[in-house]
């Protein structure tokens, strides 16, 4: 059989199964039965992105199958094979969606099945920063458990997001490996059709971040080829269905690497035979042109971003450090070069060996840095990275910051030889690695002696934190001379530009004005550039000629005017990875805000995902705007439309998170006490009538404002 025959026969087989499954579903439920995947605003995302048509019922699904049939041409040309590959993928999506009828939850631990839009939005920043350098799709059973696990771990150690389909899932389970989105190993499902759930992620990324028009299949495939760094590892023996799926992957630009040697035809850079499974990793990275940042740190356990989300349970921990119970601190301290001995690491107090198993202890680490270009403003920027650095250690867990951090070291890490001094090693290496433009010398002192921890916390750290807080509180848009651009997300949203100001952080929530300033200093030609603010047009809108010029330049002409403080007039664009989205609520003259974690309904009749699908891809959409959580309490939030008094609804959790700061802002701006109590949430109303009733009862100020449109 030729490769064409195999693709066509696999495609025919899946098509037959799909037709049978749809007919059976219609016989059982009737053709008006609704079909959908949970937590997505993109219908059946693959079919929608390829054709532009949303499928909502079994009847429409049957019609869609007719459209799929038209892709299944049978000339022995490459394009026919690719289209049959796409057709196979679409059939897989149809089979999968049938599993979700009636709100069923067809996937059980450890499998995920369909992934929500919110998961994709969360992946935005780590993908653009290269923190997740690629996406591996591993399909089938490895020749042995050991080889399968070794392959998965090799990707994990590189930070690559791994998705698993079929027999490999049982293999990693058998080996006792931890899986889950938090460790970047996601078992999708055991049927081969579940591979569609990762394809769906890639295609939705094009819609969410790339502003690709659904139905524009050419642009869609170019987007996935150029911007989604995915690849497939398929273990032989391959059946024709897998071969047909592989043709679909290749059509999207994802190379397929297999150890099958029989009946397979090599296609350079696309279909690659690698008999040696231990070389899959290297072959795949080369084929997809993925470069890995190498971090060699001298510690006895692994260090990789994939371990960032790892959780250490009480029963698995050797010792714990807990700033909420005992005195702890973490601090970056700028010193004179003469006071710092580079790479010196000192532990003052007991090591883990001398601590009782399971005990709670004090810890305070002071990272002394010196450098010609170092500024005290960069201290918190560096310090905030400690959370990420310490978490990337396999078997070590970190939460919190400043003097409220909490660290756990697992039995396994301890048994492997991990000690407190290694925390110093990690902090030293990472600070030198990432901040080499400002840090010339770095020394780490770690205190575990309780009296010393108390001294460091109260006499050294807290006074510094207070000084910093004062500086931050006085840091307003008016008080600085420049703003910064951020174009990191252009990797996925080619025309998106964030303008970052002291009072308006980047919409991802990860880039404050200080961060942007530090980034600019560290890499003057990098993503954050200085934007002057010398030629204001309208200060209420936050409109400046300088800002307009900058966004024109950085968006390559896609944007002309951007205001900083308006949601209606030339609002800032969104890439797709925003923490929150706000949208206007016409009945109350206000806005509703939803955060990414909130899965329920809002009074706009839309979920977060649906609201989010109204904007993104680097285009301006008046009335909807993505933003960071901390922007909500800013005096500049929607300043042009009256400010935070326009906020009428937020999910309860978000409201509680932001309450203190929002209340303070409302008091300052309008003299209102406990403003958050006037704001509705899902326990009060998820429809506009009930919301307006609640707002009226509370005397919410938005009701008296002019309509926004
Ligand atoms: Fe992306 Fe804007 Fe965040 Fe930069 S600030 S990473 S462009 S969302
Ligand atoms: Ni103009
Ligand atoms: Ni983004």
């Amino acid at each position: 059989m030729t490769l064409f025959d195999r693709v066509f026969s696999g495609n025919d087989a899946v098509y037959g199964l799909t037709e049978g499954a749809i007919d059976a579903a219609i016989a059982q439920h009737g053709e008006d039965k609704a079909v959908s995947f949970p937590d997505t605003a993109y219908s059946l995302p693959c079919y929608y992105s390829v054709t532009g048509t949303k499928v909502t019922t079994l009847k429409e699904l049957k019609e869609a199958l007719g459209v799929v049939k038209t892709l299944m041409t049978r000339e022995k040309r490459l394009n026919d094979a690719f289209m049959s590959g796409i057709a196979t993928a679409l059939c897989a999506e149809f089979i999968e969606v049938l599993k979700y009828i009636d709100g069923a939850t067809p996937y059980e631990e450890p499998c995920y099945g369909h992934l929500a839009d919110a998961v994709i939005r969360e992946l935005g920043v780590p993908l653009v920063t290269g923190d997740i350098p690629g996406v591996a799709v591993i399909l089938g059973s490895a020749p042995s458990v050991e080889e399968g696990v070794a392959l998965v771990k090799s990707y994990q150690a590189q930070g690559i997001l791994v998705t698993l389909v079929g027999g490999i899932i049982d293999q990693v389970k058998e080996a006792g490996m931890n899986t889950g989105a938090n460790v970047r190993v996601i078992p999708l499902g055991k049927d081969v059709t579940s591979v569609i759930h990762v394809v769906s992620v890639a295609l939705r990324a094009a819609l969410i971040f790339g502003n690709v028009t659904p139905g524009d299949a050419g642009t869609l495939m170019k987007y996935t080829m150029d911007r989604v760094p995915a690849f497939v590892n398929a273990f032989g023996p391959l059946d024709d269905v897998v071969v047909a799926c592989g043709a679909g992957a290749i059509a999207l630009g994802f190379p397929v690497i297999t150890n099958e040697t029989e009946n397979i035809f090599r296609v350079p850079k696309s279909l690659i035979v690698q008999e040696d499974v231990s070389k899959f990793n290297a072959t795949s990275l080369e084929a997809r042109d993925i470069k890995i940042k190498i971090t060699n740190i001298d510690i006895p356990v692994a260090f990789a971003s994939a371990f960032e989300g790892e959780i250490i349970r009480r029963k698995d921990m050797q010792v714990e450090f807990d700033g909420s119970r005992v005195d702890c601190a973490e601090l970056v301290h700028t010193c004179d070069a003469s006071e710092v001995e580079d790479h010196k690491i000192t532990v003052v107090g007991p090591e883990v060996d001398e601590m009782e198993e399971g005990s709670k202890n004090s810890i305070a680490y002071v990272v002394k840095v010196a450098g010609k270009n170092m500024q005290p403003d960069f201290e918190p920027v560096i310090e905030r990275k400690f959370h990420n650095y310490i978490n990337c250690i396999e078997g070590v867990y970190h939460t919190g910051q400043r003097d409220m951090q909490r660290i756990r070291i697992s039995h396994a890490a301890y048994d492997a030889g991990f000690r407190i001094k290694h925390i110093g090693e990690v902090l030293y290496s990472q600070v030198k690695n990432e901040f080499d433009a400002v840090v010339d010398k770095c020394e780490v002192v770690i205190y575990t002696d309780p009296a010393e921890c108390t001294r460091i916390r109260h006499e050294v750290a807290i006074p510094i934190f207070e000084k910093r807080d004062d500086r931050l509180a006085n840091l307003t848009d008016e008080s600085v001379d420049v703003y910064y651009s951020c174009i990191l997300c252009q990797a996925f949203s080619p025309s998106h530009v964030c303008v970052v100001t002291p009072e308006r952080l980047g919409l991802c929530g990860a880039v404050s004005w200080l961060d942007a300033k530090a980034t600019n200093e560290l890499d003057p030609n990098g993503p954050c550039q200085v934007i002057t603010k010398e030629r204001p047009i309208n200060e209420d809108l936050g409109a400046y000629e300088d800002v307009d010029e900058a966004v024109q330049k950085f968006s390559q002409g896609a944007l002309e005017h951007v205001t900083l403080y308006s949601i209606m007039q030339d609002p800032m664009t969104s890439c797709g990875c925003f923490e929150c989205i706000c949208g206007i609520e016409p009945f109350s003259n206000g806005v509703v805000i939803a955060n990414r974690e909130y899965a329920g309904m809002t009074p706009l009749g839309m979920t977060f995902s649906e609201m989010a699908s109204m904007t993104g891809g680097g285009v301006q959409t008046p009335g909807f705007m993505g933003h960071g959580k901390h922007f909500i309490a800013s005096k500049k939030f929607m300043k042009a439309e009256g400010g935070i008094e326009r906020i009428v609804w937020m999910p309860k959790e978000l409201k509680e998170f932001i309450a203190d700061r929002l209340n303070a802002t409302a008091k300052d701006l309008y003299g209102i006490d406990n403003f958050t109590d006037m704001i509705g949430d899902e326990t009060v109303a998820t429809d506009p009538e009930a919301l307006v009733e609640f707002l009226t009862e509370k005397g919410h100020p938005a009701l008296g404002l002019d309509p926004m449109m």
Side-chain angles (χ1 to χ4, degrees):
M1 277 221 288
T2 69
L3 192 58
F4 291 112
D5 294 326
R6 295 194 69 183
V7 171
F8 295 153
S9 117
N11 179 204
D12 287 337
V14 173
Y15 180 85
L17 285 175
T18 312
E19 192 172 36
I22 295 174
D23 288 342
I26 291 176
Q28 189 188 344
H29 301 284
E31 61 176 14
D32 294 328
K33 188 74 181 172
V35 288
S36 68
F37 288 109
D39 306 318
T40 177
Y42 300 94
S43 178
L44 274 58
C46 298
Y47 186 76
Y48 177 56
S49 45
V50 172
T51 65
T53 307
K54 287 196 175 183
V55 168
T56 58
T57 62
L58 283 174
K59 179 165 184 251
E60 290 167 3
L61 192 64
K62 179 87 191 188
E63 287 160 11
L65 191 66
V67 176
V68 169
K69 183 84 189 172
T70 64
L71 299 175
M72 296 164 53
T73 51
R74 291 291 174 256
E75 299 268 348
K76 293 196 176 179
R77 290 173 313 204
L78 219 44
N79 191 54
D80 296 58
F82 286 157
M83 286 306 125
S84 289
I86 300 283
T88 307
L90 296 175
C91 285
E93 182 171 53
F94 295 178
I95 290 180
E96 288 292 309
V97 80
L98 292 175
K99 297 181 181 173
Y100 286 88
I101 280 188
D102 279 333
T105 46
Y107 285 92
E108 281 173 16
E109 281 249 329
C111 294
Y112 279 69
H114 171 80
L115 299 166
D117 290 353
V119 174
I120 302 168
R121 292 178 189 280
E122 253 168 57
L123 290 175
V125 171
L127 279 166
V128 296
T129 56
D131 186 31
I132 297 181
V135 180
V137 185
I138 304 183
L139 224 134
S141 296
S144 70
V145 170
E146 291 70 33
E147 285 166 284
V149 170
L151 181 66
V152 173
K153 285 199 165 163
S154 72
Y155 290 129
Q156 190 186 31
Q158 293 164 328
I160 288 177
L161 178 72
V162 188
T163 59
L164 308 176
V165 177
I168 182 75
I169 295 176
D170 288 328
Q171 291 183 315
V172 300
K173 191 170 174 194
E174 191 185 324
M177 196 177 165
N178 260 336
T179 58
N182 62 328
V183 288
R184 292 195 191 156
V185 178
I186 303 185
L188 292 171
K190 293 181 190 168
D191 299 339
V192 64
T193 47
S194 65
V195 73
I196 197 63
H197 300 305
V198 57
V199 177
S200 168
V201 169
L203 298 184
R204 272 181 283 165
L207 304 186
I208 290 175
F209 300 112
N211 194 33
V212 172
T213 311
D216 183 355
T219 311
L220 183 73
M221 288 194 252
K222 187 166 172 8
Y223 184 93
T224 54
M225 167 129 22
D226 292 347
R227 298 184 188 271
V228 182
F231 56 86
V232 180
N233 287 175
F235 293 118
L238 306 178
D239 63 25
D240 291 350
V241 171
V242 174
V243 174
C245 289
I250 292 169
L252 296 173
F254 308 151
V256 178
I257 290 82
T258 179
N259 56 343
E260 169 123 320
T261 50
E262 303 282 312
N263 252 330
I264 202 85
F265 303 81
R266 296 158 212 244
V267 183
K269 289 232 113 191
S270 294
L271 181 52
I272 299 165
V273 175
Q274 172 55 266
E275 286 181 57
D276 183 352
V277 172
S278 73
K279 294 193 179 131
F280 266 27
N281 182 309
T283 306
S284 302
L285 298 198
E286 193 192 319
R288 196 67 181 108
D289 216 3
I290 294 172
K291 307 241 175 343
I292 303 289
K293 279 187 255 165
I294 301 179
T295 25
N296 264 330
I297 304 179
D298 193 13
I299 55 173
V301 292
F303 181 90
S305 58
F307 297 110
E308 213 185 318
E310 180 195 31
I311 291 164
I312 315 284
R313 298 203 167 69
R314 180 166 295 278
K315 68 172 174 45
D316 298 324
M317 82 186 189
Q318 178 72 27
V319 290
E320 180 177 42
F321 305 92
D322 186 352
S324 69
R325 299 297 173 83
V326 285
D327 286 322
C328 289
E330 48 185 35
L331 188 71
V332 172
H333 194 27
T334 312
C335 301
D336 191 80
S338 64
E339 300 168 311
V340 183
E341 185 179 331
D342 192 48
H343 206 163
K344 183 173 177 196
I345 291 158
T346 321
V347 178
V348 182
E351 251 299 351
V352 185
D353 315 68
E354 300 148 68
M355 295 173 186
E356 205 181 310
E357 201 177 314
S359 59
K360 241 186 228 314
N361 303 273
S362 297
I363 196 166
Y365 26 93
V366 179
V367 176
K368 294 160 61 178
V369 297
K372 288 186 295 299
N373 301 323
M374 182 63 199
Q375 301 175 20
D377 262 359
F378 300 154
E379 288 176 357
V381 174
I382 300 176
E383 221 172 83
R384 255 210 1 234
K385 300 287 288 192
F386 288 2
H387 168 69
N388 156 282
Y389 299 160
I390 296 175
N391 256 333
C392 287
I393 306 169
E394 185 179 15
V396 181
Y397 162 80
H398 177 284
T399 57
Q401 54 173 329
R402 288 191 160 186
D403 56 350
M404 282 295 153
Q405 88 269 37
R406 183 149 161 214
I407 298 177
R408 283 179 175 180
I409 298 176
S410 73
H411 287 306
Y414 176 76
D415 293 342
F418 188 87
R419 296 294 178 271
I420 285 167
K421 62 175 187 225
H422 296 120
I423 294 180
E425 200 60 54
V426 165
L427 293 174
Y428 169 79
S429 307
Q430 287 301 91
V431 169
K432 286 288 290 241
N433 246 334
E434 253 189 83
F435 296 96
D436 59 330
V438 294
V439 175
D440 301 334
K441 284 165 89 182
C442 174
E443 173 178 343
V444 185
V445 189
I446 305 182
Y447 302 88
T448 55
D449 176 83
E452 281 294 282
C453 287
T454 301
R455 180 182 71 82
I456 294 291
R457 181 185 185 203
H458 290 282
E459 290 170 33
V460 183
I462 289 179
I464 292 180
F465 296 151
E466 281 171 354
K467 225 164 96 190
R468 268 190 214 157
D469 287 344
D470 288 345
R471 156 109 173 108
L472 274 180
N474 294 321
L475 207 56
T476 58
D477 289 3
E478 290 77 17
S479 75
V480 298
D481 297 329
V482 297
Y483 301 144
Y484 291 93
S485 62
C486 182
I487 55 163
L488 257 180
C489 284
Q490 286 196 355
F492 291 107
S493 289
S495 62
H496 172 69
V497 182
C498 275
V499 179
V500 180
T501 78
E503 291 175 84
R504 181 169 189 173
L505 79 173
L507 56 87
C508 56
V511 180
S512 70
W513 184 83
L514 284 180
D515 292 314
K517 182 179 173 209
T519 305
N520 175 261
E521 202 87 15
L522 293 166
D523 182 5
N525 299 315
C528 296
Q529 296 293 316
V530 169
I531 304 181
T532 54
K533 39 173 290 211
E534 287 155 2
R535 288 166 286 144
I537 303 167
N538 179 331
E539 309 238 22
D540 270 336
L541 280 171
Y544 296 84
E545 283 177 42
D546 323 52
V547 170
D548 282 347
E549 279 168 19
V551 295
Q552 279 164 30
K553 178 171 162 209
F554 297 128
S555 70
Q556 286 83 37
L559 298 170
E560 284 195 20
H561 306 281
V562 162
T563 64
L564 305 180
Y565 311 140
S566 175
I567 174 181
M568 298 307 290
Q569 188 180 333
D570 302 321
M572 213 180 282
T573 58
S574 300
C575 43
C577 54
F578 36 82
E579 286 189 301
C580 301
I581 181 157
C582 68
I584 53 178
E585 202 293 298
F587 298 98
S588 59
N589 309 326
V591 292
V592 159
I593 302 177
N595 53 316
R596 202 162 53 200
E597 296 81 5
Y598 178 68
M601 188 47 74
T602 72
L604 301 188
M606 292 186 259
T607 59
F608 169 85
S609 293
E610 287 162 339
M611 286 170 73
S613 72
M614 309 287 290
T615 183
V619 291
Q620 292 176 306
T621 40
F624 284 92
M625 187 177 69
H627 55 85
K629 278 184 187 167
H630 284 295
F631 187 45
I632 301 172
S634 164
K635 287 185 179 157
K636 301 299 192 296
F637 183 81
M638 291 180 61
K639 181 174 176 229
E641 284 83 28
I644 57 164
E645 62 180 339
R646 289 278 186 186
I647 302 173
V648 294
W649 191 95
M650 269 192 258
K652 197 166 167 41
E653 200 191 23
L654 178 62
K655 206 163 78 174
E656 282 165 6
F657 175 76
I658 208 78
D660 288 349
R661 302 198 315 132
L662 191 63
N663 285 337
T665 307
K667 181 78 182 164
D668 261 17
L669 286 181
Y670 322 110
I672 299 176
D673 287 305
N674 298 321
F675 175 56
T676 44
D677 294 346
M678 297 179 167
I679 300 175
D681 61 44
E682 72 276 21
T683 65
V684 171
T686 49
D687 65 275
E689 293 79 27
L691 177 62
V692 170
E693 205 173 297
F694 170 83
L695 298 171
T696 310
E697 192 182 300
K698 295 281 177 188
H700 192 294
L703 296 172
L705 298 175
D706 290 337
M708 276 188 286
M709 47 181 250

